[in-house]
Amino acid sequence: MQNKRLRSALQNMALALLSLSALFLLGSMPLFHISWADQVQSLLATHPAGGGHTQSTALADMFPSVHVMVTGDIEYGRYGRLYVPGDDPLLEQVIPLFQEALGSASETGAAAEQTLRSALDSPCLYLDLTTELPLEAVAAWLGESAGFSREVRSMALTTEQEETALLYLRSGTGEIFRYSTALPASAVRAACDSQASNDSRFAYETNYAPLNPYTVLVAESPEAPVVQTELPAAYSVYNLLTALDFNAHPLFRYTESSGTEVVEESPRTLRVSPDGAVSFTSRGEAASPLYRVSAAGEAPTMPECLSAAWRLAGALTEGTGAAPLYLRAVETAEGGCTVRFGYHAGTIPVFFSDERDALSVTISGTAITAFTYRCRAYPATEDASPLLPSAMARAIASLYPEAGLSIGYVDGGAGPLAAHWLAG
């Protein structure tokens, strides 16, 4: 009996050794050259539901919150708010009006500053997009198509005409163009009447003349929590490979002296740094649909480019559990464009101290050929940001000619972030 037990124990030990030997051999093969830490982290970390290719590609979701100014009767003042998100009831009421106006817009020519300011004394709706964008991109946000090209920083619907509303588009450099529309002026007046004045003003209506004249100045500082800047729990090479349609067990992978992991899967190269920096380059059109830009014609349109970039942004966000991304700029060039994204903490934008983008996507022809990404999460704390009183912030900002005034977070790399008034 004792010999039988001894033989059984020896057999079990031999099986265990053989199993360990097999695991060692498998782990030594390039196919399985991926760290156990990555795989364990991917199992333990919380992943967003669904994959990067199934997220909503509604272009309206990619646009940031905007500043809004509503004027009913100018004698009673204006109603203004900073960083109003797209799902806010006010914007849900206002956006369809701009959509209808843009869809029927017919340009009447350039307009002078005083023409716009006089129009803004009528019942009107004013949107400051907080960034300058091509009109084609703005039209995609509104769910409309644009029949002409223009750079747009802000837009207004005014009712100085009795029957139909006028549309004004203003660029970041101050160019103003006016358009007649088929939108009934009564629809704009009804929307304006729904908001009571909260003593907001445009900068040109105050003593802060050096400020950008169309800066929306609100009477009270909005509340903004202190947020924590951190790498998301699900940030790992394994999760990024999966989200970005790479082989999760790559044949060619190595680590540089800086700790950056480099994965090569011809014709693509992915670099993943420990600090959250990710970059991708491709020497040719990849087979993965994630990097293709669908085009109905010979070259993709602006909405088609935005849709491809937004799909990639969703894959990165969902794959790592990072903060949501929002459109910040679009730069067009012959044969392609660059789409730039930034982060928001709540509705308030986050800027990096080195002025780089959270995500920059390069599109050449009908493919995404490169991107750079800085992975971050910004969970809110229970502390409130100690913002200066708005009047004091205006006085300080007016020291910088043509500066705007808004609120934002500045990410310097680590630790808690408090919101600040920003002039720029």
Side-chain angles (χ1 to χ4, degrees), residues 231-299:
L231 276 176
Y235 177 77
S236 70
V237 178
Y238 181 84
N239 287 343
L240 283 165
L241 290 174
T242 303
L244 295 172
D245 267 0
F246 274 71
N247 185 347
H249 306 287
L251 288 171
F252 300 102
R253 173 180 174 179
Y254 59 91
T255 304
E256 297 180 333
S257 58
S258 63
T260 298
E261 297 261 11
V262 182
V263 177
E264 295 186 2
E265 187 179 282
S266 182
R268 309 178 296 171
T269 300
L270 184 70
R271 303 170 65 88
V272 183
S273 300
D275 64 356
V278 181
S279 66
F280 164 90
T281 56
S282 177
R283 299 182 299 278
E285 186 168 348
S288 169
L290 181 62
Y291 304 94
R292 296 180 196 149
V293 183
S294 299
E298 292 184 5

Side-chain angles (χ1 to χ4, degrees), residues 122-353:
S122 69
C124 65
L125 302 168
Y126 181 90
L127 300 182
D128 179 348
L129 304 178
T130 74
T131 186
E132 186 174 66
L133 294 169
L135 179 59
E136 295 92 335
V138 179
W141 172 50
L142 297 174
E144 188 55 69
S145 58
F148 44 90
S149 296
R150 192 74 66 208
E151 294 297 311
V152 181
R153 167 61 195 253
S154 60
M155 51 203 308
L157 283 175
T158 65
T159 60
E160 68 266 36
Q161 292 186 167
E162 186 65 29
E163 297 298 326
T164 57
L166 294 178
L167 172 67
Y168 288 82
L169 301 180
R170 185 176 184 274
S171 72
T173 56
E175 295 178 309
I176 303 168
F177 288 86
R178 182 169 61 175
Y179 302 82
S180 61
T181 77
L183 176 68
S186 58
V188 178
R189 294 190 187 99
C192 295
D193 289 341
S194 66
Q195 304 297 327
S197 169
N198 62 358
D199 296 324
S200 295
R201 295 286 185 272
F202 288 109
Y204 70 79
E205 299 175 299
T206 70
N207 296 324
Y208 303 104
L211 287 175
N212 184 296
Y214 296 95
T215 300
V216 175
L217 301 177
V218 295
E220 295 184 3
S221 305
E223 295 183 359
V226 172
V227 300
Q228 183 71 30
T229 178
E230 60 185 35
L231 276 176
Y235 177 77
S236 70
V237 178
Y238 181 84
N239 287 343
L240 283 165
L241 290 174
T242 303
L244 295 172
D245 267 0
F246 274 71
N247 185 347
H249 306 287
L251 288 171
F252 300 102
R253 173 180 174 179
Y254 59 91
T255 304
E256 297 180 333
S257 58
S258 63
T260 298
E261 297 261 11
V262 182
V263 177
E264 295 186 2
E265 187 179 282
S266 182
R268 309 178 296 171
T269 300
L270 184 70
R271 303 170 65 88
V272 183
S273 300
D275 64 356
V278 181
S279 66
F280 164 90
T281 56
S282 177
R283 299 182 299 278
E285 186 168 348
S288 169
L290 181 62
Y291 304 94
R292 296 180 196 149
V293 183
S294 299
E298 292 184 5
T301 62
M302 177 68 70
E304 288 168 341
C305 288
L306 291 176
S307 181
W310 184 233
R311 187 171 63 246
L312 175 65
L316 289 165
T317 300
E318 293 184 11
T320 61
L325 292 158
Y326 294 93
L327 183 66
R328 184 158 287 171
V330 182
E331 298 174 2
T332 58
E334 186 176 354
C337 67
T338 300
V339 185
R340 305 185 184 280
F341 294 87
Y343 285 122
H344 276 52
T347 61
I348 298 175
V350 179
F351 302 95
F352 288 105
S353 56

